[in-house]
Amino acid sequence: MRTPSLYSQDDPISAALKPSPSETEAERHARLVAEAEARRVSEQIDEDLRQERERMKRNKGDVKLLLLGQAESGKSTLQKQFQLMYKPNSIDQERTSWKTVIYFNVVHSLKHILAILEAWDDSLDEDSLEESASVSLNKSRVNGIAQQPSPSTSLINSSSAGSGLSGSPARPSSSVGSSHPVNASREPGAVQIGNLRRRLTPLMATDTPLADRLSGGITVSGSGKGGVYVRSGWQARTIENALGRIKPNYDAELKKSRGITHDSGQDILVQDVGRMLTAAKDDIKELWSHPTVEGLIVRRKLKLDEWSEFFLRHISRVAAPDYTPTTDDILHARIQTMGVAEHVFDVNIHGKSVSWHLFDVGGARGQRHSWVPYFDDANAIIFVAPVSAFDQYLEEDPRTNRIDDSLQLFTQICSNALLKSVHLVLFLNKTDLLKAKLDTGLRVRKYITSFGERSNDYETVVQYFRAHFLQVHRRNNENRRVLYTHFTSVVDTKATQRIIGNVRDAIFRGYLQSAALV
């Protein structure tokens, strides 16, 4: 049978488009080529639509789970636990890239410690502390920087000044590389720190190259003090950057200077940092155990995040020449997420495999607008709130207590019209750090006035925080949905994976059973 012509005698439009009788051979050839391309495009569109219909049919029973919460709440660590539970081989594939993160965490922590020491004149002397604090406060006033948090607009009121997640007071600008003169007029402890600073300066200089390796040179407006953000797929890009496959970088310059012309498959930057850490291991130990550093931590003039303390405590292992990150190291490693990263896991429930799409989102204030497009067809949300952060303030807004920010954010999630039917799971996270802070005698009421004269023990504190989150949920629960609440420490693999199993069962009992999928 002859294939029907594009132009039909019965179609007036086709008749109007019929080629001219005087059409030349070249024009005829051009017309036939254009017609063939039009048919190809049309057929490709039809094929794409068919594949999309099939994909939607296959994904009809998939579960879409969002991990929400403020920055540094533990969302990405929780995502790693899902990865360990449902896709363990992928952790091994990423292990090399995490070495870069861990080295950056160590170097950045040391740089922060040395900067705080320099701001306090490397001394625990009360006069030096008061003088430095006075100079810093005056400088802040000149620059128009508010040091006191504004009255809280949520359920919890903050009563003390906040200085951001770093925990450091506002201080004069300083450079880690510019050490104090080492002379006999200074205290022996200050002289010792000055010598350590001088010896560690070359290692501190790798902070920026490591940050560029991870971020690909991307900077984010309002990312805070030294914030490094990575996009989805950063693990593979880190390795590609190391091999010079994306753009000239630190390694390219080193290879050129060393006369290396072939691709050895090794990350020259990470190798160099590793050698420097090995050489500086004893200096790092000496700095970390120095009485001045310990004293500043006790007096809360120096605050370190949990990952900083973890790697500095294990510096002998991390600085070993043959170091390979353990799974525990990867769980403690800290890198900030930018945008939304999707992770797909095949979850077995009642003998049926269902794809679970896990979305890990950036939690900084400037990134929360990117959450909304994912609300429309979400099945469940795990909201992560760090209960240990009662004495911390947002890096983006040093006036806002982090617990208060979590409550305000949870209120927005609970009251969002797009999420009225979504299953809600609340992780009150970092309970291990909360216990540690309370054991040191830190008083909750100093930072949260509404805590009042309640007992400062762990059980009272966690139940107090839980009650506030439950109250937010009750006030915004028109559909009478159940809120599943868990006290968690997501770096604890055994406990967290047990909770993940409970969360999985709760979600499937609700959503999947109603969809007749189990």
Side-chain angles (χ1 to χ4, degrees):
M1 179 183 294
R2 188 167 67 92
T3 303
S5 170
L6 180 64
Y7 304 101
S8 169
Q9 296 292 338
D10 300 326
D11 184 356
I13 295 179
S14 297
L17 295 174
K18 194 171 182 180
S20 169
S22 60
E23 181 182 51
T24 66
E25 186 62 29
E27 290 172 340
R28 177 176 177 278
H29 176 73
R31 175 174 56 79
L32 292 177
V33 169
E35 290 178 6
E37 177 62 16
R39 280 194 298 270
R40 188 195 66 76
V41 171
S42 178
E43 290 168 359
Q44 183 61 52
I45 292 173
D46 291 341
E47 177 63 19
D48 290 345
L49 291 173
R50 183 187 66 79
Q51 291 182 5
E52 180 65 15
R53 286 193 295 268
E54 290 183 357
R55 188 190 65 79
M56 292 179 65
K57 184 177 180 180
R58 287 195 307 269
N59 294 347
K60 186 177 180 181
D62 289 2
V63 171
K64 185 177 178 181
L65 175 63
L66 307 183
L67 299 183
L68 304 182
Q70 65 185 204
E72 299 192 38
S73 60
K75 300 185 300 298
S76 295
T77 306
L78 180 58
Q79 174 267 311
K80 295 175 200 171
Q81 292 287 13
F82 273 94
Q83 199 173 347
L84 281 170
M85 192 168 182
Y86 296 114
K87 212 171 184 178
N89 291 338
S90 61
I91 288 288
D92 290 330
Q93 296 168 0
E94 298 175 358
R95 204 170 292 274
T96 301
S97 60
W98 283 106
K99 189 174 182 178
T100 311
V101 176
I102 291 165
Y103 282 175
F104 173 72
N105 286 169
V106 171
V107 172
H108 203 65
S109 299
L110 291 171
K111 189 174 181 180
H112 174 64
I113 291 172
L114 290 171
I116 297 299
L117 284 169
E118 190 168 25
W120 297 122
D121 201 28
D122 296 343
S123 173
L124 277 174
D125 179 71
E126 289 298 335
D127 292 336
S128 296
L129 290 177
E130 290 176 6
E131 181 181 355
S132 296
S134 176
V135 170
S136 300
L137 183 58
N138 290 335
K139 181 180 177 69
S140 297
R141 285 171 177 166
V142 169
N143 292 333
I145 301 173
Q147 293 298 311
Q148 294 292 334
S150 60
S152 173
T153 57
S154 188
L155 300 173
I156 293 181
N157 292 320
S158 171
S159 63
S160 64
S163 55
L165 298 184
S166 65
S168 61
R171 55 186 182 274
S173 299
S174 62
S175 171
V176 174
S178 58
S179 58
H180 294 288
V182 179
N183 56 60
S185 65
R186 301 188 70 210
E187 295 181 2
V191 172
Q192 185 182 16
I193 290 174
N195 288 328
L196 289 172
R197 177 182 287 106
R198 176 174 49 81
R199 295 197 295 268
L200 290 172
T201 294
L203 179 62
M204 298 302 96
T206 66
D207 180 71
T208 299
L210 284 169
D212 289 343
R213 167 76 83 252
L214 292 167
S215 67
I218 297 172
T219 58
V220 180
S221 176
S223 61
K225 305 167 188 174
V228 175
Y229 285 80
V230 295
R231 295 182 182 273
S232 175
W234 65 268
Q235 295 93 334
R237 284 195 296 273
T238 297
I239 296 173
E240 290 176 345
N241 274 328
L243 301 179
R245 293 174 183 164
I246 293 182
K247 62 180 181 179
N249 51 26
Y250 180 94
D251 285 347
E253 294 299 320
L254 281 179
K255 288 179 180 179
K256 182 178 179 181
S257 66
R258 297 177 185 180
I260 300 174
T261 57
H262 65 283
D263 186 353
S264 64
Q266 299 295 319
D267 188 332
I268 304 297
L269 170 61
V270 173
Q271 285 182 323
D272 278 1
V273 175
R275 282 191 288 268
M276 295 169 76
L277 281 171
T278 301
K281 177 177 62 178
D282 292 337
D283 287 336
I284 295 172
K285 284 182 179 179
E286 186 177 346
L287 179 67
W288 177 238
S289 61
H290 196 281
T292 301
V293 173
E294 293 178 345
L296 287 172
I297 291 174
V298 169
R299 301 184 191 197
R300 300 185 61 75
K301 305 300 182 183
L302 169 62
K303 292 183 183 180
L304 293 172
D305 295 286
E306 59 272 17
W307 48 265
S308 298
E309 297 189 10
F310 177 84
F311 290 119
L312 291 175
R313 284 198 308 268
H314 294 87
I315 192 62
S316 293
R317 181 172 55 80
V318 173
D322 58 348
Y323 172 66
T324 298
T326 66
T327 298
D328 203 30
D329 291 342
I330 293 173
L331 290 173
H332 282 86
R334 171 63 183 154
I335 192 74
Q336 298 185 78
T337 307
M338 180 170 64
V340 180
E342 180 181 6
H343 305 269
V344 183
F345 307 105
D346 291 326
V347 179
N348 187 282
I349 182 73
H350 303 304
K352 182 179 179 64
S353 180
V354 179
S355 292
W356 197 327
H357 298 257
L358 188 68
F359 293 88
D360 179 18
V361 304
R365 275 189 172 181
Q367 299 185 60
R368 294 174 187 175
H369 65 278
S370 65
W371 300 2
V372 178
Y374 295 85
F375 288 175
D376 190 35
D377 56 347
N379 305 123
I381 288 174
I382 295 181
F383 187 89
V384 186
V387 290
S388 65
F390 66 87
D391 63 330
Q392 296 175 320
Y393 298 81
L394 291 183
E395 190 166 336
E396 312 96 296
D397 180 7
R399 299 168 299 175
T400 302
N401 184 284
R402 289 189 61 195
I403 293 284
D404 192 37
D405 179 67
S406 275
L407 278 166
Q408 294 180 40
L409 185 55
F410 190 62
T411 301
Q412 295 170 18
I413 297 301
C414 290
S415 61
N416 191 294
L418 295 174
L419 302 174
K420 290 296 183 182
S421 301
V422 173
H423 296 276
L424 275 179
V425 182
L426 174 64
F427 276 24
L428 297 175
N429 192 34
K430 302 193 178 184
T431 54
D432 56 330
L433 300 179
L434 174 64
K435 289 177 184 176
K437 286 184 177 182
L438 297 178
D439 287 345
T440 64
L442 197 61
R443 309 294 296 183
V444 175
R445 68 182 181 186
K446 179 181 178 182
Y447 301 91
I448 300 174
T449 56
S450 61
F451 188 76
E453 299 300 321
R454 293 175 176 83
S455 175
N456 205 63
D457 62 276
Y458 169 77
E459 193 62 32
T460 301
V461 172
V462 294
Q463 292 301 332
Y464 169 78
F465 291 144
R466 179 176 181 269
H468 277 294
F469 280 96
L470 291 179
Q471 185 178 31
V472 168
H473 179 254
R474 282 195 299 271
R475 289 176 175 176
N476 300 275
N477 192 22
E478 297 175 4
N479 291 4
R480 304 183 67 179
R481 59 185 170 187
V482 177
L483 175 66
Y484 303 94
T485 307
H486 299 275
F487 297 113
T488 61
S489 171
V490 292
V491 294
D492 184 336
T493 297
K494 187 175 180 180
T496 301
Q497 293 195 356
R498 183 174 63 250
I499 292 171
I500 287 174
N502 294 335
V503 170
R504 174 202 64 195
D505 292 342
I507 292 173
F508 275 103
R509 277 198 304 269
Y511 171 74
L512 296 182
Q513 192 169 22
S514 66
L517 293 171
V518 297

